[in-house]
Amino acid sequence: MKNILLNLILLFCIFAIKTAAQDFHAKIESAIEKKDYQTAISELQNLEKSDNKTFEFNNYDYLLARMAEKKGDFALALANYADYENNNEGSLRNPVLREYALWHLSQIVGASGNLMLERIYLQKLMLTAPDSILSEAVKTRIIHNLFESGNFEEVIAKFHSTKDFSSEKNSKMIVVIPAQDKILGNLTGNDAKTRENLVLLGESYLQIEKKEEARQVFTKLVKTLTNPAQPDDFALAGVKNLDLLDVGSENFGKIAPQLTDNENYRRALIYQFNRNFPLARLHFQAIVQRFPNSAFIANSLYQIGRSFVQEGNFSQAIEWFERVQVEFPNDDIARDALSQTASAYSRLNKPKEAILRYQKFIQTYPNADNLERAYLNIVDILRDQGENAEALKWTARTQADFKGKLPEAIAFFAQVRIHISQNDWTNALSDLSVLLTFPDLGGTKVPGGTNKAEVTFLKGLALENLNRFPEAIDVYLSIPDGRNEYYGWRATERLQNLSNDEKTQQFIQVKIIQLSRNSGILIPNENRKIFQNVYRLTRSPETLKIIKSLYVNLPDYQKIPNFKLLEFGRKKVLKEKSEISNENHHKILADELLFLGLYDEGTPELDLYLRQSQTKITDNLAFTLATFYERGDMANKAVSFIEPFWKNVPADYEIELIPREQIELLYPAPYSDSLLQFAPPKNVDPRFVLSIMRQESRFRPDVKSYAAARGLMQFISTTANQIAQELNRENFKQDELYNPPTAILFGSQYLSNLFKQFPNQPPAVAASYNGGEDNMARWLTRVKSDDPDRYVSEIVFSQSKDYIYKVMAAYRIYQMFYDENLKTK
């Protein structure tokens, strides 16, 4: 009996110990999920003191290093990574995460400027884990390390050697430059990584005075573009270095090299696309001055004018545009130059000169594809001058000259906006009713266009301002609301305002009663519409439950995907040293990293393992990977997974009924550390930054747009340079924008500037971010109101208006589901 009792006590103690271990791990998981790094650090340090075996058996020392690094305590991180990596014979665990410890060690010491020690860690990583998922990043970093250390011959040797990157002997070899057909033998691809390596190779040749070899590399970069219409950063580096080789450092940027007109033009276009306008002009001007019979002269003159426009130097731009018209009056480009001249005069606030040139355009090019823009631009200029009567005459003339065509509708909409700016709601209402009969309103595909939702909303606004509240309520309710429905959301907000206003809430109550009387209709879809309208008026949780029950009987509303999150990663806390497993190395790493809650490293390992093992990727498995990627701040993979599933779901599906786990994939909150570090101190809501980021890059940190905008927040070079000066960032380089914390810092600073210009006006800030603050200021002036329900319709740039729709729709949802600290509600 005594033995049985002792055994029971022993079993109870073992169970209690295991339970305590699991409870501890749950507490750590919770702290990591909340990004409460200090709590995680404190708990781990306490465990290290109280139960060192459990601490080491479960790789908690590696986790402690990661938490310290995230918190910015690099001394603590460095000590724990080093201790983990050393793995003395007396160690209590198998250091399965050693390659990651080495990687972090290399990053920390490299950031401190110790390039030699960084290289030692990187080479050790390659030697001990040649098949690591990190190997390509390590190889790239070794090359950069050698370059930054001034070991240019070693850089070249690395590219041409057949030996392993981890070989120390190879790093001491004397380089023999191979023949041209072999120089680029190992760099024949055209992917971004290969092109980045080519830049380093070429610049290394340049540093050791191997100019001909350098020229060959840079020429390859310029001539082998992945997308000739969008020359990348590496093509830019190529033309810069070719210019440097051709004219020398003392003349770089001062004189253009002696080249063919074709080569000058090629280099100019690469500079122009990448917004390096002074260097672009240097090559365009060389064509004009040196090749009087070149076929590129007309476009070179025009592009010089365009470069000055991009810099905001409209006076200089006019000189070049007018020269195009004088020297090439019969060329098609003269037409574009005349239009650009008129636009430049408008930006210089010279309305008479601008209007004269638009009138000349109308007379000279009556068959131009974009003829209506000249008419409508005259309307805008007159409005900017406060000459609304004249502007109305031009809208009438445009409607007459383009009767039955799309420009008629656009001119009619311009007429509506003039009436609204004059608070002439009677004429606005009349025109809006007519406008709704037009078959094509332009949408967001043409400047100045509109859509049925916007016109209907403005009709409701006109009725509301005319105190015709029952009619306004009906019109607002006719606009469907949903997660991407900007005007449906605005209509719902107007309805809520009416419901909360003592003067108008009676009309809302009457409408609710009317809707309730019709709720007995047996047709499920009609009932669904009724209760969704009631919910917009009441925001009642009970009504939301009824809507959810109605969705069950509606096939279209059952298209919402249904996923199950699968389990991966080790679950149990180890109480003894684990044995070396024969399992796939990447699976072992994934299990340990996911156990520790390190999804940023564990998910790619899991993904690689699944692909290598040719596992069938079911929807549930893909959903699980997407969820893990989202948790690991790789939100672009989460969004790209989930969005296709929602394309067939009705647009008015109630947002609150979307499963929370899918909302977090559709609207993830990555990089929260950086967002909370940089946005709030600048009085910017991090949720608004996320909304901008979602639209700009879909959370891809390395993306570059057709307009040469870079990174998460898609900064163009001129704006980035301006922000770098404000932040006192010396020696700023454009490719720093591909670093998420830098992109978020710059984005927060720029948005802060815009909010100072447009206080408490997120839609105006969004429009400014996309279309420029000067343009937004003009649109606001025209409507004479800071009410977004009035000024958004004034935004003429179709891209900017669509941008507002999407950014503000996202911001609405971020506010619904996340608090200001990016914690889910």
Side-chain angles (χ1 to χ4, degrees), residues 72-201:
D73 188 344
F74 297 110
L76 179 61
L78 202 63
N80 279 274
Y81 283 135
D83 184 59
Y84 184 92
E85 188 276 322
N86 284 334
N87 190 38
N88 298 325
E89 289 185 8
S91 174
L92 301 173
R93 45 104 176 97
N94 294 318
V96 294
L97 305 178
R98 188 182 189 191
E99 63 204 69
Y100 281 95
L102 285 165
W103 175 247
H104 287 286
L105 283 167
S106 71
Q107 288 185 309
I108 293 173
V109 299
S112 71
N114 192 336
L115 296 176
M116 176 63 77
L117 186 55
E118 178 194 21
R119 193 158 66 250
I120 290 172
Y121 284 131
L122 291 171
Q123 289 168 336
K124 192 173 184 180
L125 197 166
M126 289 302 299
L127 184 65
T128 57
D131 297 325
S132 172
I133 200 173
L134 301 167
S135 60
E136 287 305 314
V138 171
K139 291 176 184 179
T140 298
R141 185 54 210 159
I142 288 175
I143 294 293
H144 281 269
N145 176 290
L146 290 168
F147 185 86
E148 292 166 19
S149 302
N151 299 326
F152 304 115
E153 291 190 349
E154 291 190 56
V155 173
I156 297 168
K158 292 295 185 187
F159 283 122
H160 300 307
S161 171
T162 58
K163 296 184 179 182
D164 191 272
F165 266 70
S166 60
S167 171
E168 270 297 323
K169 293 181 180 179
N170 180 52
S171 66
K172 305 298 182 185
M173 67 182 289
I174 303 299
V175 180
V176 178
I177 304 300
Q180 163 59 9
D181 62 337
K182 295 182 180 178
I183 285 179
L184 305 178
N186 297 325
L187 295 165
T188 54
N190 205 31
D191 58 282
K193 188 57 63 180
T194 299
R195 291 176 65 76
E196 179 184 2
N197 287 337
L198 282 170
V199 172
L200 286 175
L201 178 61

Side-chain angles (χ1 to χ4, degrees), residues 339-496:
S339 179
Q340 289 289 336
T341 303
S343 176
Y345 273 121
S346 174
R347 298 303 295 273
L348 286 171
N349 198 26
K350 295 184 176 181
K352 292 181 180 179
E353 292 87 343
I355 290 173
L356 283 172
R357 280 155 184 81
Y358 279 128
Q359 289 176 323
K360 180 180 178 182
F361 186 96
I362 293 167
Q363 295 165 0
T364 308
Y365 304 105
N367 298 315
D369 292 338
N370 61 340
L371 182 63
E372 75 281 357
R373 288 313 319 159
Y375 286 77
L376 295 167
N377 287 338
I378 290 174
V379 172
D380 288 340
I381 292 169
L382 291 168
R383 292 195 63 198
D384 289 339
Q385 299 304 308
E387 299 181 24
N388 286 326
E390 284 298 312
L392 285 171
K393 291 179 182 178
W394 273 93
T395 62
R397 179 176 172 180
T398 308
Q399 293 168 54
D401 287 358
F402 293 91
K403 189 70 175 176
K405 299 177 181 178
L406 176 58
E408 180 189 7
I410 297 173
F412 209 94
F413 185 51
Q415 179 176 301
V416 167
R417 299 199 309 273
I418 293 172
H419 290 319
I420 291 175
S421 72
Q422 296 173 319
N423 292 314
D424 183 356
W425 296 105
T426 300
N427 278 318
L429 178 61
S430 175
D431 286 349
L432 286 162
S433 298
V434 174
L435 195 55
L436 283 170
T437 67
F438 280 74
D440 186 358
L441 298 173
T444 56
K445 67 180 182 289
V446 294
T450 185
N451 55 47
K452 184 177 180 181
E454 182 172 53
V455 175
T456 304
F457 176 82
L458 292 175
K459 181 178 180 179
L461 191 64
L463 288 164
E464 187 181 344
N465 277 277
L466 291 169
N467 295 327
R468 292 163 63 174
F469 300 115
E471 295 168 87
I473 291 169
D474 285 339
V475 170
Y476 287 143
L477 287 174
S478 73
I479 309 170
D481 192 7
R483 69 183 186 91
N484 291 323
E485 304 302 308
Y486 174 79
Y487 275 111
W489 164 49
R490 295 312 309 151
T492 298
E493 290 292 299
R494 301 298 303 191
L495 289 166
Q496 286 296 297

Side-chain angles (χ1 to χ4, degrees), residues 638-798:
V639 175
S640 64
F641 162 77
I642 194 66
E643 282 192 324
F645 287 97
W646 278 86
K647 286 183 178 178
N648 296 321
V649 177
D652 65 349
Y653 193 99
E654 287 294 342
I655 299 169
E656 292 91 337
L657 295 179
I658 299 175
R660 176 58 64 94
E661 65 273 13
Q662 294 187 40
I663 278 287
E664 291 179 18
L665 296 185
L666 287 164
Y667 301 91
Y671 313 113
S672 58
D673 291 343
S674 295
L675 284 162
L676 294 173
Q677 179 183 357
F678 298 127
K682 298 183 183 299
N683 296 314
V684 178
D685 187 343
R687 296 169 296 184
F688 187 69
V689 182
L690 279 170
S691 304
I692 296 285
M693 190 190 303
R694 185 180 190 275
Q695 184 58 31
E696 288 288 346
S697 64
R698 270 311 189 268
F699 307 110
R700 292 173 295 168
D702 58 349
V703 70
K704 182 179 179 182
S705 77
Y706 71 92
R710 294 169 172 85
L712 286 171
M713 304 297 290
Q714 289 290 279
F715 271 94
I716 59 174
S717 58
T718 48
T719 307
N721 288 334
Q722 168 199 326
I723 298 301
Q725 288 183 347
E726 293 177 14
L727 295 170
N728 297 316
R729 292 281 290 255
E730 297 181 3
N731 303 315
F732 168 73
K733 296 180 180 178
Q734 294 295 320
D735 59 7
E736 292 179 54
L737 294 168
Y738 298 123
N739 174 253
T742 300
I744 291 167
L745 170 61
F746 276 52
S748 298
Q749 176 70 22
Y750 185 44
L751 288 170
S752 178
N753 294 343
L754 294 175
F755 272 112
K756 289 174 184 175
Q757 186 171 351
F758 307 105
N760 303 314
Q761 291 295 334
V765 169
S768 301
Y769 199 96
N770 179 265
E773 52 267 43
D774 292 344
N775 290 317
M776 187 64 242
R778 288 166 54 217
W779 296 324
L780 274 172
T781 300
R782 286 179 195 170
V783 79
K784 301 179 181 67
S785 172
D786 61 0
D787 180 357
D789 290 339
R790 293 181 61 172
Y791 69 67
V792 167
S793 62
E794 280 290 355
I795 296 173
V796 177
F797 295 172
S798 52

